Amino acid sequence: MTHSGAMTLKLTTVHLIVDDPDKALPFYRDLLGLKLIGDVSHEAFRWLTLSPPAQPDIQIVLSQPHAGRTKEDGDAIARLLAKGTLGGALFSSPNLTETFEKLRASGADVVQEPTNQPWGVRDCAVRDPAGNFIRISQG
């Protein structure tokens, strides 16, 4: 319930850590269909910004573990990324089967084929080239 003067927040940006931007870009752009809207390099690091065409006001920023971080923090993040424990992202697709088959044909690391979940959605799960967990639901 909102009331007069209530603050309205909108999600604008989500960050994902990737170890190799050159491998991550084709996955997010070509396989998931996100639009590349920014590609910034600074020193030895690169930040890629992508956006879902259906939600152009949302940005997904892909950065490397050590980009803009101390060596100690970057090392810790790199270890978590290598273990596949950093989380990931959830997407929806109007045609889950087609999206999944495109991912499988590309050689993506399939975690779960399309499945009817007990919580009421049909979804699948893959890992991006960095090991991030990506879940895609029918929607």
Side-chain angles (χ1 to χ4, degrees), residues 8-132:
T8 302
L9 297 177
K10 288 174 55 178
L11 177 67
T12 61
T13 307
V14 176
H15 289 265
L16 290 174
I17 305 294
V18 298
D19 55 352
D20 186 340
D22 290 326
K23 289 182 181 173
L25 181 58
F27 178 86
Y28 286 95
R29 182 193 59 205
D30 304 338
L31 293 176
L32 295 185
L34 302 181
K35 181 179 178 187
L36 181 65
I37 58 173
D39 187 340
V40 176
S41 294
H42 179 69
E43 296 175 355
F45 303 109
R46 191 168 165 206
W47 289 260
L48 300 173
T49 304
L50 298 109
S51 182
Q55 295 173 295
D57 54 337
I58 293 180
Q59 297 181 355
I60 299 167
V61 178
L62 307 179
S63 66
Q64 295 157 282
H66 292 86
R69 298 174 185 91
T70 65
K71 176 164 178 17
E72 181 182 358
D73 288 349
D75 289 349
I77 291 169
R79 283 192 299 276
L80 292 173
L81 180 62
K83 288 171 61 176
T85 58
L86 280 184
L90 286 81
F91 294 93
S92 68
S93 169
N95 189 331
L96 178 62
T97 302
E98 180 181 300
T99 300
F100 176 76
E101 291 304 329
K102 183 177 181 181
L103 288 164
R104 182 185 3 226
S106 77
D109 180 9
V110 173
V111 176
Q112 181 182 64
E113 294 196 8
T115 303
N116 293 321
Q117 301 293 355
W119 53 89
V121 300
R122 179 168 178 77
D123 67 5
C124 69
V126 297
R127 290 200 181 275
D128 76 3
N132 290 303

